[in-house]
Amino acid sequence: QDKAIEPPRMKPFHPSILCKRLACLLLATWWGALSSKTFDDGNAVAETVETLFLQVALETREVTDALVREPREKLNMTQEDLQEVVFMHIPYNFGHTIEKVAFLPEFPESQGPLRNLAWAEAMAIVENDMLTVDERLAMLQTKMGVGGRIWGRMNPALHQISNVTGCPLYFTPGKYWPQDVAEGYFQGQSFGMLRDPYERLVAQFRGDFDAYGGGWGWRRLVCDVDSAIKKKMEDIISGTLSLFAEDCTFVPQAEFFDGPHGIKH
């Protein structure tokens, strides 16, 4: 009996696959240049590099499509469902970028500077304490792009300081939010970004922003990342440093998934 031919399926996306492929492509570029006998006019090298960069572009597009498509498929969510999704910002997990793109989704990547300018104007409204929260939200509606969302730090209601953590609510785990604010914000399904915990700490060490994942002292000056992170963790465990220090950047990511208003996806 003839077996039904199934259409080809895209392999599951794994970040490590992209890294390995990029590494192989870079190695192939070097090898192609090394083995070429026509270095004088550069034609062979140029052809090799052009072909390989095309492959990289195709690989990247494949990965991008998977990232866009997979969450909706896994959650079995329709476009209507996505309208009710809200974002929970875990510090140092690319939250600012997500909030910016969500607020101004119509800007293509080529218009990044224009989007940054529009976003700066919106943030000036968000941080204007002379206006009420409702007034700021109304003004933001006029600045928001078509299909945009006001998530996390872009929401003026989340700029109040938590009585529990001492951090702004947009950096505070949802279980510590005031009940009325949490119920007003988490009306739909919530999602957040996870990051490798050690890599996240390395990013904080590298950035060393004052009052936001900074305070690494002399170890930052000599680039001693291992002992710096070890010392920071020991200080938190011993209570010498508050878990909520530096705008809650050292709070374990698991805390943001806990409780009725934790991240669900």
Side-chain angles (χ1 to χ4, degrees):
Q1 295 181 355
D2 296 334
K3 295 184 179 179
I5 300 178
E6 295 184 358
R9 297 181 180 179
M10 180 178 174
K11 296 180 180 180
F13 168 69
H14 297 288
S16 60
I17 295 178
L18 177 61
C19 295
K20 292 177 181 177
R21 288 175 178 174
L22 289 176
C24 291
L25 290 174
L26 290 174
L27 180 60
T29 302
W30 171 81
W31 179 255
L34 185 64
S35 60
S36 172
K37 302 300 182 181
T38 57
F39 283 103
D40 292 336
D41 57 15
N43 290 335
V45 175
E47 182 178 354
T48 301
V49 172
E50 183 178 356
T51 302
L52 290 170
F53 270 109
L54 176 60
Q55 294 179 20
V56 171
L58 293 174
E59 295 282 2
T60 305
R61 179 58 184 269
E62 179 181 342
V63 169
T64 302
D65 290 345
L67 287 172
V68 172
R69 182 172 59 253
E70 278 196 334
R72 188 183 303 179
E73 292 177 347
K74 289 182 177 180
L75 298 176
N76 193 27
M77 298 175 68
T78 64
Q79 186 64 38
E80 290 71 23
D81 293 329
L82 289 174
Q83 302 298 319
E84 304 302 325
V85 169
V86 293
F87 173 65
M88 183 68 221
H89 189 147
I90 301 177
Y92 267 91
N93 283 22
F94 314 103
H96 296 101
T97 300
I98 293 172
E99 291 160 358
K100 182 191 301 183
V101 174
F103 186 78
L104 300 164
E106 78 278 14
F107 281 88
E109 186 175 351
S110 60
Q111 297 181 7
L114 290 177
R115 180 169 60 193
N116 290 338
L117 178 60
W119 179 74
E121 293 177 354
M123 284 306 303
I125 296 173
V126 172
E127 297 176 348
N128 187 349
D129 294 335
M130 301 296 291
L131 302 173
T132 66
V133 169
D134 290 338
E135 289 173 336
R136 281 178 277 176
L137 285 172
M139 293 179 67
L140 286 172
Q141 293 290 338
T142 67
K143 298 290 185 180
M144 185 170 60
V146 177
R149 297 289 178 271
I150 299 177
W151 285 342
R153 188 184 175 204
M154 295 299 297
N155 192 321
L158 306 187
H159 279 246
Q160 62 177 286
I161 302 302
S162 168
N163 293 330
V164 178
T165 67
C167 309
L169 292 184
Y170 55 78
F171 284 155
T172 297
K175 64 182 180 180
Y176 298 132
W177 288 21
Q179 188 69 21
D180 59 333
V181 178
E183 291 178 352
Y185 185 75
F186 295 107
Q187 294 182 4
Q189 299 193 60
S190 58
F191 78 99
M193 289 288 291
L194 271 175
R195 190 174 187 178
D196 179 274
Y198 192 81
E199 199 276 333
R200 179 173 176 242
L201 287 168
V202 171
Q204 294 179 41
F205 177 87
R206 184 173 61 248
D208 195 28
F209 295 109
D210 185 38
Y212 184 63
W216 298 93
W218 64 266
R219 292 176 175 84
R220 175 66 171 75
L221 298 177
V222 298
C223 202
D224 189 355
V225 62
D226 289 328
S227 68
I229 290 177
K230 180 180 179 180
K231 178 66 166 58
K232 190 77 73 173
M233 296 299 98
E234 289 175 345
D235 288 347
I236 292 175
I237 292 173
S238 67
T240 304
L241 180 68
S242 169
L243 179 64
F244 304 123
E246 298 287 330
D247 259 352
C248 289
T249 49
F250 298 112
V251 174
Q253 296 173 85
E255 293 284 298
F256 291 85
F257 289 77
D258 194 20
H261 301 299
I263 295 171
K264 304 304 179 186
H265 304 288

